Amino acid sequence: MELWGIPWWTALLALVGGMAIVSAFITLFFALNRPARYGVTERVPVDSDAFMQAITSAVNAPAMTGGSARLLNNGVEIFPAMLEAIRGARHSINFMVYIWESGKVSDRMFDALVERARAGVQVRMMLDGFGAFSAPGDRVRELEAAGGRVRFFNPAAWGRLLAFHKRNHRRAIIVDGKIAFTGGAAVSDVWLGDAQDEDHWRDTMVEVRGCLATNLQSSFVQLWSGGTGEILVGEAFYPSEHDEPGAEALTRHVHVTSTPASVAHPLRVFFILTLACAQRRIWLTNSYFAPEVNMRRTLAERARAGVDVRLLLPSRLTDAPFVRYASHAFYRELLEAGVRIFEYQPTMMHSKTLVVDGVWSVVGSANMDNRSKELNQESVIGILDRGFSRQIEATFERDLEQSREIRLEEWRRRPWPQRVYERFWVSFEQQF
């Protein structure tokens, strides 16, 4: 007996094999374990002790006071600040990013790191095995020859392929345990310049100093010790005196690291609690916006309650059009609830910032998608400080001037081929 011109047993084996592949794919990528609905027992102001107690308990991270934070916009501010800190290193440099690509930025970073390593500074670098796949091997070897240590997180290897989709997306560059950087940027020439054209991205990083920099060290140390077996100890990484004299200390802050687990999703809880407690405004900028239903529901509920909810997202100038199409599938429900949506026009918008009620800010590596909440290694900082929040709000307002607002009536009239694209790509929502 034959089926479609091939022996029946061959067809049966092919069918069984296909079903096994589909089953494995669904198990790996779609069977994520989370509650059907999230909610808070009480909405408390984000600048209250009750909110701080709730958020530190929910994510199992302490609230601390001290340190300073400065927002850096685009490559013209980001890379000079990072290179200045690296060149001034006296004891240690720990460098962790997701993307590292050959080019001018790469050469400048390697030049500075190699020089410091030769001067006796302890230099350690952890790059993602996928995002930094194209990092220049000759420069890596040059750094290692100078005394630096380089490791790749979760590289493709036999026996570990089932975990390859879990990536290290954290940004944590820490110098002497006193100065650190986190945010959206990494090492590639797309981050050069001032977002002046389509080839140069719009992004932000945050420079933190003092105890906050020491806390951010955990983003690096946790994965470094797990990947190499080396546990970093001592003054070179955790200085006993880290707050700079005369520096204006932040009010309070919480640092959250997220590692994929079957039931613990600290970033999801962190963001939902933050959004749910907003009283006046939520201003969110993000590069990959494909939130699951609880995030969307919370944004819509707050907008209906009169909160000024604004989303600043990428336009067609994005490196991930399929994620943008998926996010478009959610626009209508958000717009109908009163959420205002803007798309940044000049170039790729890659910033990842959130400010609530003008006092509580969230910065770091996380995107508004399931991958960041449940699959990636991520790191964010929540900062309760009106002065720092004002830095983010001022930047948000400037970016809105170069953005196009999406109107509900216009959105309802979008062409049907676009709707087809949306429905197709949103089916992959769990992997975005």
Side-chain angles (χ1 to χ4, degrees):
M1 178 180 176
E2 292 187 349
L3 186 63
W4 298 305
I6 58 176
W8 68 269
W9 56 270
T10 303
L12 179 61
L13 288 176
L15 178 61
V16 172
M19 292 176 63
I21 292 173
V22 171
S23 177
F25 187 83
I26 292 174
T27 300
L28 287 171
F29 300 122
F30 290 93
L32 300 176
N33 184 11
R34 73 170 76 95
R37 188 181 184 95
Y38 283 82
V40 296
T41 57
E42 184 180 350
R43 301 184 193 278
V44 296
V46 293
D47 57 353
S48 66
D49 288 340
F51 175 79
M52 195 60 63
Q53 290 168 354
I55 206 142
T56 55
S57 298
V59 301
N60 192 29
M64 299 191 69
T65 301
S68 62
R70 177 168 68 109
L71 193 67
L72 303 171
N73 286 296
N74 298 328
V76 294
E77 294 181 4
I78 293 169
F79 295 124
M82 289 173 59
L83 287 168
E84 180 183 4
I86 290 171
R87 289 166 181 156
R90 302 187 62 183
H91 305 292
S92 67
I93 300 170
N94 291 336
F95 203 118
M96 175 181 286
V97 292
Y98 176 63
I99 293 173
W100 192 300
E101 297 177 344
S102 299
K104 295 178 182 178
V105 176
S106 172
D107 287 340
R108 292 171 191 170
M109 288 295 174
F110 271 118
D111 288 346
L113 292 169
V114 168
E115 188 279 327
R116 287 291 79 198
R118 288 174 177 161
V121 174
Q122 299 183 54
V123 178
R124 292 170 175 82
M125 179 187 295
M126 175 165 273
L127 306 177
D128 186 72
F130 177 77
F133 180 77
S134 59
D138 57 335
R139 299 308 306 265
V140 170
R141 290 187 290 273
E142 180 184 0
L143 178 58
E144 291 177 326
R149 298 189 62 189
V150 182
R151 293 293 183 273
F152 285 84
F153 177 86
N154 202 12
W158 290 111
R160 302 171 60 184
L161 294 179
L162 292 182
F164 185 68
H165 67 294
K166 296 182 178 181
R167 308 309 327 158
N168 175 21
H169 196 250
R170 297 178 186 178
R171 274 78 160 168
I173 299 99
I174 309 98
V175 176
D176 292 339
K178 296 181 177 182
I179 307 173
F181 301 86
T182 190
V187 177
S188 171
D189 288 357
V190 299
W191 280 285
L192 277 174
D194 197 18
Q196 69 271 24
D197 54 46
E198 296 181 9
D199 296 325
H200 298 88
W201 291 3
R202 170 77 184 92
D203 213 335
T204 54
M205 291 286 279
V206 179
E207 177 191 280
V208 297
R209 293 174 178 259
C211 64
L212 216 163
T214 307
N215 292 341
L216 191 59
Q217 188 82 275
S218 64
S219 293
F220 181 93
V221 171
Q222 181 189 56
L223 298 186
W224 181 264
S225 61
T228 68
E230 180 184 47
I231 304 172
L232 306 184
V233 181
E235 284 280 325
F237 312 102
Y238 304 103
S240 54
E241 296 183 4
H242 38 53
D243 283 330
E244 298 180 357
E248 184 176 351
L250 295 172
T251 306
R252 299 174 86 177
H253 49 81
V254 179
H255 174 228
V256 185
T257 56
S258 179
T259 296
S262 59
V263 295
H265 305 141
L267 278 188
R268 186 181 305 282
V269 175
F270 181 84
F271 278 109
I272 288 178
L273 179 55
T274 290
L275 298 175
C277 288
Q279 308 289 318
R280 298 185 302 279
R281 60 183 176 270
I282 296 169
W283 289 1
L284 170 70
T285 303
N286 209 264
S287 50
Y288 307 105
F289 182 78
E292 51 87 25
V293 62
N294 284 287
M295 298 288 288
R296 304 196 304 273
R297 183 184 293 126
T298 304
L299 288 168
E301 287 175 350
R302 291 290 79 207
R304 291 192 185 99
V307 175
D308 176 14
V309 182
R310 304 187 193 186
L311 309 179
L312 179 55
L313 310 174
S315 66
R316 62 176 182 81
L317 301 175
T318 173
D319 67 330
F322 45 88
V323 178
R324 181 169 176 259
Y325 281 127
S327 71
H328 281 177
F330 309 132
Y331 275 19
R332 180 167 178 170
E333 65 176 289
L334 294 172
L335 290 169
E336 289 178 342
V339 175
R340 298 180 67 185
I341 302 174
F342 301 81
E343 292 187 344
Y344 189 74
Q345 299 300 302
T347 186
M348 166 66 179
M349 168 55 76
H350 199 259
S351 297
K352 311 169 197 305
T353 62
L354 168 64
V355 62
V356 172
D357 293 345
V359 294
W360 175 250
S361 303
V362 180
V363 296
S365 63
N367 294 309
M368 285 294 138
D369 56 15
N370 286 297
R371 170 160 287 279
S372 280
K373 306 303 185 300
E374 299 185 8
L375 296 174
N376 286 345
Q377 306 280 346
E378 300 283 5
S379 174
V380 302
I381 303 172
I383 298 175
L384 179 62
D385 188 87
R386 191 175 298 276
F388 181 69
S389 292
R390 186 56 199 156
Q391 293 181 47
I392 297 181
E393 287 192 328
T395 297
F396 188 90
E397 290 171 333
R398 287 195 299 270
D399 287 337
L400 285 191
E401 295 174 359
Q402 302 183 75
S403 303
R404 184 177 75 87
E405 184 169 5
I406 307 299
R407 306 286 183 176
L408 178 57
E409 290 306 316
E410 171 192 356
W411 191 249
R412 285 171 171 162
R413 296 193 301 268
R414 69 194 186 282
W416 68 264
Q418 182 175 340
R419 300 171 188 247
V420 173
Y421 281 132
E422 294 169 7
R423 297 319 306 169
F424 174 77
W425 286 112
V426 80
S427 64
F428 297 93
E429 171 199 354
Q430 298 286 3
Q431 273 299 288
F432 295 155

